[in-house]
Amino acid sequence: MGRVVITGMGVITPLGQDPETLWRNIAAGKSGITAWQEMEHTAHKTKIAGIVRGFDPVFAVGAKEARRMDRFCQFAVAASRQAWLDAGLPAEPDGSVDLERTGVYIGSGVGGISTFAENQNVLTGRGPGRVSPAVVPMMIANMAAAQVSIMLGALGPAMAPVTACSIGNTAIGEAFKLIQRGSADLVVAGGSEAALSELALAGFGNAAALSRRNAEPERASRPFAASRDGFVMSEGAGIVVVEDLEHALRRGARIHAEIIGYGATSDAYHMVAPDPDGNGAFRAMKLAVADAGLTPRDIDIISAHATGTELGDAAEAAAVKRLFGGGAGRILVTASKSALGHMLGAAGGVEAVVLIKALQEGIAPPTINQDEGGTDPDIGLDLVPNTARSAPWLRIGLSNSFGFGGHNAVIVLRKYED
């Protein structure tokens, strides 16, 4: 099987709407969590979020299309266009790319939940005749992949994986396998989410999953910290162009990183809680490392799923220590959600971009908010606390993504070497 690489990256996040801005802010230890002003005078107990501010949907997708897309689709199209152009691919079809061998694998955890909620309110308050005729195609979760396919004219396989918060890694991993077996030349892959609605906030809040550290938003997302009290909802998109190496070389593409392994498992345990021993996460990491033809000793850095929940962080730490044994302490572990919050279905794609930048720059980004009460002593991992660390030896990284229902997806990325 041939080698598979990443040639393009695009992001929409609360810390930047392009990869370079995102990376600078992540590496500097900044937080993208702010007060959610619309919630200030409501009964919701959580009033903070990772909000993408200043996003212009008309600039991103055009005025006409913006009216027919939920925000999660707008994010997906904008990030995909970034990634496509970053990969040096033509802005308009020119025959240089075989679009019949170009795929789109982009998922969303909840799709157009805001569109759904808004139109339910219209139905209740104004009657069925006032509901938008576009409500269904705007809200269904496959529409991000569909809209990107339409934008690019991509005629190859299109898929919208729905694996909760592991979507980004599922999409990238399945794209990797599709190309490995020769069924496509390149795939635009990742995840998008815009679930900052009162309905989602109430649901997660009533499940006691969210941080209530409203007085200091930038300090609220605290993965692995002793004082963690839940995750912070966030939004955005993370998209990469996954490509056959030979195809990329023939067209003179710049190569960001190489994908060398993928592992996916199910906890088969509970619809929300993770297996407390981290068995599913452990097996997914083990499979990904084996798929890459490596041993755990070859891994230099882990991009942890690490949402800031009591059970989830503990289970992931247990899985890491089980896989790496006595060598777990030497692995650098970084948790981007400490800065970005939990972007749900967009998290894996964005975190892949951050990991790629870490490998390129030889810098381990920090896990911020480890100061008040410090890191949970039971975690027992090197979390690169609070401040980025120079690490020029970084070569191979593991990216973890886990989701409700027990979905686990792990990818292995390697710094590109000729």
Side-chain angles (χ1 to χ4, degrees):
M1 291 184 287
R3 293 167 68 183
V4 179
V5 294
I6 290 174
T7 54
M9 303 188 294
V11 298
I12 302 293
T13 81
L15 276 177
Q17 297 182 36
D18 64 84
E20 292 302 325
T21 302
L22 169 65
W23 171 250
R24 286 196 302 271
N25 287 328
I26 287 278
K30 294 184 178 180
S31 171
I33 308 306
T34 57
W36 190 351
Q37 294 170 339
E38 292 82 353
M39 298 301 113
E40 182 177 357
H41 300 296
T42 69
H44 295 284
K45 294 182 175 62
T46 292
K47 303 176 190 295
I48 54 177
I51 303 168
V52 174
R53 302 185 188 277
F55 175 77
D56 184 349
V58 174
F59 175 79
V61 303
K64 181 180 178 181
E65 293 305 316
R67 291 193 297 269
R68 300 191 297 184
M69 289 187 198
D70 185 89
R71 189 168 164 92
F72 89 99
C73 282
Q74 296 170 358
F75 286 164
V77 169
S80 296
R81 192 187 305 276
Q82 275 186 49
W84 185 263
L85 296 177
D86 181 56
L89 293 161
E92 300 293 337
D94 63 2
S96 63
V97 175
D98 185 349
L99 293 174
E100 292 187 0
R101 291 182 57 80
T102 299
V104 177
Y105 281 15
I106 298 175
S108 177
V110 296
I113 190 169
S114 293
T115 293
F116 172 83
E118 289 165 8
N119 279 271
Q120 178 62 48
N121 289 338
V122 170
L123 176 64
T124 302
R126 302 169 63 190
R130 305 302 296 176
V131 171
S132 169
V135 62
V136 173
M138 286 178 69
M139 76 179 193
I140 52 180
N142 73 298
M143 200 49 64
Q147 293 284 13
V148 171
S149 297
I150 292 166
M151 175 191 72
L152 300 176
L155 302 171
M159 181 174 72
V162 182
T163 54
C165 301
S166 64
I167 282 166
N169 277 6
T170 302
I172 294 168
E174 294 297 332
F176 163 60
K177 289 301 178 183
L178 184 76
I179 293 170
Q180 257 196 346
R181 64 177 180 259
S183 298
D185 295 328
L186 60 90
V187 181
V188 178
S192 184
E193 203 78 84
L196 298 185
S197 71
E198 286 208 63
L199 180 60
L201 180 63
F204 283 129
N206 291 341
L210 298 179
S211 172
R212 298 180 182 178
R213 196 180 287 261
N214 298 313
E216 41 185 3
E218 70 283 354
R219 295 169 59 80
S221 187
R222 312 175 68 80
F224 296 126
S227 56
R228 65 189 185 273
D229 68 332
F231 71 83
V232 179
M233 287 178 63
S234 187
E235 63 177 355
I239 307 293
V240 295
V241 174
V242 184
E243 188 168 357
D244 173 76
L245 174 62
E246 294 303 317
H247 185 271
L249 293 175
R250 282 197 301 272
R251 64 181 190 84
R254 174 184 57 179
I255 297 170
H256 291 297
E258 185 172 3
I259 308 176
I260 56 174
Y262 170 53
T265 65
S266 175
D267 282 3
Y269 177 77
H270 189 273
M271 70 178 188
V272 175
D275 181 323
D277 296 322
N279 288 317
F282 163 76
R283 289 185 294 107
M285 288 189 289
K286 183 178 179 181
L287 287 170
V289 171
D291 187 50
L294 304 175
T295 70
R297 290 190 301 274
D298 298 311
I299 305 301
D300 301 310
I301 186 169
I302 297 173
S303 173
H305 179 66
T307 64
T309 64
E310 185 71 28
L311 296 178
D313 290 4
E316 184 173 12
V320 170
K321 288 187 284 189
R322 180 178 170 189
L323 180 65
F324 291 92
R330 72 163 185 83
I331 305 292
L332 301 181
V333 179
T334 183
S336 296
K337 292 183 185 69
S338 62
L340 289 165
H342 193 352
M343 301 172 73
L344 308 177
V350 171
E351 289 164 10
V353 170
V354 173
L355 180 56
I356 289 167
K357 294 298 295 182
L359 296 174
Q360 289 178 331
E361 302 296 331
I363 296 173
T367 302
I368 63 172
N369 295 327
Q370 299 298 299
D371 44 358
E372 183 184 316
T375 300
D376 183 341
D378 292 333
I379 297 300
L381 300 171
D382 183 349
L383 302 177
V384 194
N386 301 317
T387 304
R389 187 180 306 168
S390 176
W393 64 86
L394 292 181
R395 182 169 168 265
I396 298 174
L398 203 67
S399 182
N400 290 344
S401 285
F402 313 130
F404 277 2
H407 298 282
N408 307 299
V410 177
I411 57 175
V412 185
L413 300 176
R414 179 164 62 193
K415 184 176 182 179
Y416 177 68
E417 298 166 346
D418 295 340

